[in-house]
Every structure is written in structure tokens, then in C-alpha cells.
Amino acid sequence: MSLAQAANFVSLHQSPLRIALPPATGTYDYTFNTKTGFKQQYAPEGVTGCAIGYSTGGCAFPGGGSLALPEFTGYQLQYKEFKIYIPAGTRSFMFSGYAPQRTESAFALRYGSAPAREGALSAAEYANVQATEHIDTTFSRLVNEPAADHLVVHDGGGTVRFVGGQLDASKGSTSQGNWLYIRQINGSPLYDVQGAIDVDMARYAAGYAAITWTATTYPDPVEGPGPAVGTVSTADQQAAAATVATATVSTAVLSTAGQPLQLGITLAQTAADVAANPKISAWVAARIPAQGSAPDLWFFRKGDGSWTSQVPADAEGIAFASQVTNAATLQFKPSLDFTEAEMRAVNADVHFGYKTSAGAFVSKGKIWPQ
């Protein structure tokens, strides 16, 4: 989905954010500071030591590192497509909403561009996501897999948890800002949503200063990744590549029923992409979704026809095709040893990605089944 289409998603930050300021000494009368648009809501100004403060002198968030998201009402959520800006310096992100009990709501999320998934989940898909989703690692997976859709479903109890967790275990933070896009694909609109973003104050302030703003009454950051602040992380490089990549991938099944599954994966690129990247490497991986507390299982199909679940320091060693001459149309034909029925019996799917000459990895996400 293009950035032009992504621009149709309603910005969460266009809802007013009301922050209660500390009452005067000896009183319980609270006043509120109301801001609309990301630029107003999260300007790093005010009290020294506050990540976000106001010129009125009140520290909006005493912890100094937390950004509260504005309330998003059920009326606005009738759109079923909305977005949240994840700023540079974000260390962790928590996000949830409220839906009627005993309803089946499902959402597709993607970091850096709009989700590809538009159709509702089948009953089997819904049950599989409900059994295998790991919300407490969603934030890290979103940022590190920017070209993949991430599915979240309602557990039936009222609260819908979308995203949780830290970027990494070392309190690392994003070095670029980017949008998180959320599309509801099953169920009635939510009543409301809420959340909080924990930030590294210095990196956040530097990132905010570098943002390019929309030319509107209540400005938000423009679509696409923001300028890098400090050293660019691998996740940010992937997000930037996913946002600007123009290559398309199509997949055909070449094998007949009952035979080991063989795919024809066609990568189509522009002349400019080919000229900029004379050599290219490609990876093919089969994934068996997580079961219970066990994580997803990944198996990489190597160029010699073998499988490996180990990722070496030099990932070229497990590429399906390594440093091949680039062309406007490239086709890869992995044979996967197992029949389509055997693959489906364990809910396996197949993913594809490639690396440019400049070293940027572009994940095209799931390519089979479609």
C-alpha cells in the first residue's frame, strides 16, 4: 500500500489531549492544558528535566520520560483506520483499547506503512492468532519487521491489548520517528483507546527538533520515516527501506498436488533500482507459528537445497541466492521438500526478503499462502 493511501489513516494526534496541571498549593482545583496535533502535544519544552513540559511551569509527566496518548473516541474510530506517531527516542510502547465483551475484533498493524491485510480473518485464522499472539513483544517485532503485517485479536474480555514491550532489553530506543498504522478488519468500532510511550529524553528532543511538519492548523509529522538522530539502528534502516522500496513480489505454485511444494517467486524492480544495485541476495524462510509459550520456528532454505534454523553472523551463508546479478525481473524457484498439505497441517507459511548492494535489507513478508 502506497504512502498516498496511508495518508487516509486518521491521526490519533488530531484528538485533543487534555493534561491536568498541578493544583495551586492548598487547593484541589485542577486546570487543564489542551493540545491538538503532535507538534503541540509533545513539544519538549518547559520544566528542566521534563521530557515534555509546558511553559505554564507544570511538568506534565513527572517521570519525565512518558508521553500519554490522547483519548480516541468511538465516534472517530468509525473510520476503523488510524495511526500513531512513534517518535525517535522511543524505548517502549504500550497501547490498548476497549471493545464490547464477547465480540470478535481483529486488527492489522504495520510500522512505517499501511497494512496490506484488508479482508476479515476467518474463524480459523482468528483462533490461531488468539492462541499464538505475544503482545509483550509486539513493539520490538513491529519495529524490526516493518514490511510485515502483525495481527491482533480481542480476547473477549473488554480490553484489547494491541502493543506492548520494550524495543530491546538494554533500554535501547528508536533513532528515527515513524508512523504505526492500525486497521480494524473484524468487529464493531472500539469504544476508545489509550496508551503511553516511554522515551529517551535526549534522543527524543533531538528527534523532535528534526521533524518535518504537515502544513495544517494542528501539525503532525509528515508521512514516512523522520530524520535519523545519532547512530541509525538496524530496525530504522529496515523501516526506511520498507517505506521507499518500489519492488514488487508475486508468487506462483509450480508444483502439482501431492508433490513437494515448489514456488516461483518473481521480484520486479525499476530500472533505477537495478542500476543502483548491480548485485542482490535473497532469502527464503518457512515459519511455523508459535504454539503456547513456544516462539515462532524459522527455517531458512539455503541455495544448496538444505534447511537451517541457525542464523550466522554473516547471513549470506543462509541465503537462497547470494550476490546474483540484478535484473528488472528475477525469479527464484525454491523447492520446499514438503507437500502443500503437509505445510498447511502445521500452519507453516513462507517469507521472502532481499538485500541491496548498499546493504539495506527489504522484507516482503509472507508470500505463501496468499
Side-chain angles (χ1 to χ4, degrees):
M1 185 165 292
S2 70
L3 285 176
Q5 291 170 296
N8 294 324
F9 280 62
V10 176
S11 168
L12 181 72
H13 309 293
Q14 292 304 303
S15 286
L17 174 61
R18 299 178 74 237
I19 298 297
L21 299 177
T25 303
T27 74
Y28 296 94
D29 297 326
Y30 285 85
T31 57
F32 292 86
N33 204 321
T34 301
K35 304 286 186 178
T36 304
F38 191 95
K39 186 175 185 179
Q40 285 190 10
Q41 290 167 347
Y42 300 132
E45 60 187 17
V47 178
T48 301
C50 269
I52 308 299
Y54 296 104
S55 57
T56 53
C59 181
F61 310 102
S66 180
L67 317 183
L69 296 179
E71 182 181 1
F72 206 41
T73 67
Y75 173 77
Q76 291 164 307
L77 285 169
Q78 294 290 332
Y79 293 107
K80 291 192 176 182
E81 293 184 336
F82 50 100
K83 61 184 181 180
I84 304 162
Y85 192 72
I86 309 297
T90 299
R91 297 186 300 196
S92 67
F93 178 47
M94 295 175 290
F95 184 56
S96 63
Y98 190 83
Q101 294 189 2
R102 296 180 298 279
T103 59
E104 293 190 350
S105 300
F107 304 83
L109 292 72
R110 186 179 285 205
Y111 179 74
S113 60
R117 179 76 185 232
E118 295 182 341
L121 296 182
S122 67
E125 288 178 311
Y126 192 99
N128 182 61
V129 174
Q130 191 172 40
T132 59
E133 64 183 2
H134 298 280
I135 298 299
D136 290 338
T137 62
T138 306
F139 177 56
S140 176
R141 287 185 284 117
L142 279 165
V143 175
N144 284 285
E145 300 171 18
D149 284 2
H150 297 260
L151 301 177
V152 174
V153 301
H154 184 24
D155 64 5
T159 299
V160 181
R161 294 184 64 210
F162 290 95
V163 182
Q166 299 177 329
L167 183 64
D168 60 49
S170 302
K171 293 189 176 180
S173 64
T174 55
S175 57
Q176 288 178 282
N178 216 331
W179 288 92
L180 170 63
Y181 297 87
I182 301 173
R183 171 184 291 128
Q184 185 166 8
I185 54 179
N186 289 63
S188 301
L190 296 174
Y191 287 154
D192 57 40
V193 298
Q194 58 186 345
I197 303 171
D198 179 62
V199 298
D200 174 290
M201 291 187 288
R203 177 168 277 186
Y204 174 79
Y208 180 95
I211 289 174
T212 300
W213 303 101
T214 56
T216 58
T217 303
Y218 302 111
D220 276 339
V222 298
E223 303 286 342
V229 180
T231 303
V232 181
S233 68
T234 301
D236 289 329
Q237 290 176 335
Q238 291 174 340
T243 302
V244 302
T246 56
T248 60
V249 169
S250 59
T251 307
V253 175
L254 304 180
S255 52
T256 57
Q259 297 298 311
L261 179 64
Q262 183 178 28
L263 301 178
I265 305 168
T266 302
L267 175 65
Q269 304 170 86
T270 66
D273 286 337
V274 175
N277 301 287
K279 296 287 185 179
I280 200 169
S281 297
W283 285 261
V284 176
R287 180 189 69 119
I288 299 177
Q291 298 293 325
S293 60
D296 290 353
L297 298 176
W298 289 89
F299 301 91
F300 295 87
R301 190 61 164 174
K302 297 169 63 175
D304 63 5
S306 63
W307 293 96
T308 182
S309 60
Q310 303 298 314
V311 181
D314 181 8
E316 289 285 335
I318 60 170
F320 180 76
S322 180
Q323 294 298 298
V324 299
T325 300
N326 205 1
T329 301
L330 291 175
Q331 190 170 64
F332 307 93
K333 300 179 179 181
S335 182
L336 304 179
D337 290 347
F338 303 95
T339 66
E340 182 172 341
E342 290 171 331
M343 296 282 283
R344 290 183 183 275
V346 293
N347 294 320
D349 50 29
V350 180
H351 294 244
F352 176 80
Y354 65 95
K355 186 173 70 174
T356 67
S357 297
F361 183 79
V362 180
S363 171
K364 303 305 286 188
K366 185 178 75 172
I367 58 167
W368 182 91
Q370 295 178 313

